[in-house]
Amino acid sequence: MPGKIGLKLVLIAVVSVALAQQAPMQATLSQAQASLSSGHYAQAVQEFEAIIAQDYTNYQAHLGLGLAFYDQGHYKEAQFEFTQLTLLDPKRYEGWFNLATVQAKLRDFQGAAQSFSQAVAIGEQNNYPAKELRPAYLGWVSSLQLSGNFAQAAQVAQQALAKLPQDPDLTYALALSLIKSGQPLQALPYLYELVRAQPNNVAAEQLIVQVYLSQGLTSRAQSELQQALMRVTDPHAKAQLLLEASTILPPKEALASLQQAVQLDPQLWQAQYNLGLQELQAGHPHQALAPLQAALAQRPQDPALLLALASAYDRLGQAQEEERYAAQAAQQASGSQKTDALLFLGKAQYLLQNYPKAVTSLGQVVQAEPQQAVAWLYLGLAQYHLGDYSAAITSLSKAYALAPSAAVAADLGAADLAAGRYSDAEALLRQAVAQNPDDAVAWYNLGWAYSSLGRTHEARQAWERALMLGYEPARALLK
């Protein structure tokens, strides 16, 4: 990362001065520096700490110790050492720059912005060349953005651009800060300057499109993307633009745009994922599998991808594969994604006749989302197959209340019948066959409800209708 490279460059420059100025410490510092450079960080820590124990004010030892900690990922310890640099000599650039870098690593973006600003001020006071201060300018702007202070980030970027005209990273940072601070129109000149200088700059093109969309100019955004696609030569950049275009095009054109994107750059996982979703929305679950699998190969633990695959296999009626991907998604996901994964998992477990596990999975769904009708339905069906008719009636009643249909009425009627609630069963099953006269099983169960209520003539009529619709178990009852 740029911050880490910057730290090492500062270290080399400072230690070379130290060796000339502090001859008695030269051998010890040289050894510690050699340990650090060769990646023997634990040894370097011991050697720098030994120097500090003899002379706590030794600036170069604190610097080296901070870098040894930083390279090991011990950022709190590195922050402490770099803070010592700013206290030992507040007028030195490298102390503030290194402190800012580690503060950003620790996500203390406000602190990082303040430290980068100190580094820049010292560098400018000492007439450092603007190119040498460029990492500090960029770090300052980035920290302000990450702390949500976009207006000040825009000011700092503009000041830095005055010293480093046409710098692409600063120009982009300025444009982004202007957009985020509610000044999108002021960002456009800088963005067009960027794409003229860098035709393959996808990030700048995307911001231009966002500006037009924010102004309600969808056709202008589409036109901009078409022009960019003619201008861009890099296949990866073109694929990213096609991905962007797919988000504002009608479904058919969006599908074609994504297909072209994945041809140009098969590694663009977001395009593969979106293509899979488009195919699912178009009712083509089989065509969705290849792009979703391609995306998953790059992001094997992404719960959204695992969920999409579970959905595709659900629509294909392949319960075993649905269970596999839903189980993985449930392990990786949280919140509503986890609930969705458990719903697919419970449904698949039901279809695979693993009713106890289905009850467990679907029970978690209805606890998290009590208005989830499909979960109540499959929970009730699993409970029915386990012979827990009372629980099945409760669950199926909730499913019916949330999403009434002939099919759910037939299932609830069957549960009432099994529980010996014949009048309730008869009412529900009559309703089911009235709404769907071709439901042979509902007619068969209605016959049993009539028979249990002593209405043999009506029972026979119901069974005759079931047999006429092809339900063979009714034949034995008509003899």
Side-chain angles (χ1 to χ4, degrees), residues 144-146 148-154 172-187 191 207 210-211 214:
L144 287 168
Q145 289 175 335
L146 290 165
N149 195 342
F150 294 104
Q152 190 180 352
Y172 180 82
L174 172 57
L176 178 62
S177 299
L178 287 169
I179 291 170
K180 293 289 188 179
S181 62
Q183 305 174 75
L185 302 186
Q186 289 88 328
L191 292 169
L207 286 185
Q210 286 178 26
V211 170
S214 73

Side-chain angles (χ1 to χ4, degrees), residues 442-458:
W443 280 108
Y444 177 79
N445 286 336
L446 178 58
W448 274 114
Y450 284 139
S451 177
S452 300
L453 291 168
R455 294 155 64 178
T456 54
H457 178 68
E458 290 167 293

Side-chain angles (χ1 to χ4, degrees), residues 258-303:
L258 289 167
Q259 288 170 339
Q260 190 178 351
V262 300
Q263 286 177 351
L264 287 169
D265 186 0
Q267 300 305 307
L268 188 56
W269 76 268
Q270 187 69 52
Q272 297 278 17
Y273 172 55
N274 287 4
L275 177 57
L277 292 183
Q278 286 279 347
E279 295 285 13
L280 280 176
Q281 290 168 8
H284 307 144
H286 186 75
Q287 288 92 320
L289 292 179
L292 290 174
Q293 292 285 8
L296 189 68
Q298 297 173 66
R299 296 171 65 89
Q301 295 183 325
D302 190 316

Side-chain angles (χ1 to χ4, degrees), residues 28 38 47 102-103 125 176 186 252 274 293 318 357 388 424 430 444 447 449 452:
T28 310
S38 61
E47 291 165 348
V102 77
Q103 284 171 322
Q125 288 167 11
L176 178 62
Q186 289 88 328
K252 188 175 180 180
N274 287 4
Q293 292 285 8
Q318 298 184 29
K357 284 190 176 180
D388 189 353
D424 290 338
R430 273 197 298 107
Y444 177 79
S452 300

Side-chain angles (χ1 to χ4, degrees), residues 138-150:
L138 287 168
W140 188 4
V141 174
S142 175
S143 297
L144 287 168
Q145 289 175 335
L146 290 165
S147 62
N149 195 342
F150 294 104

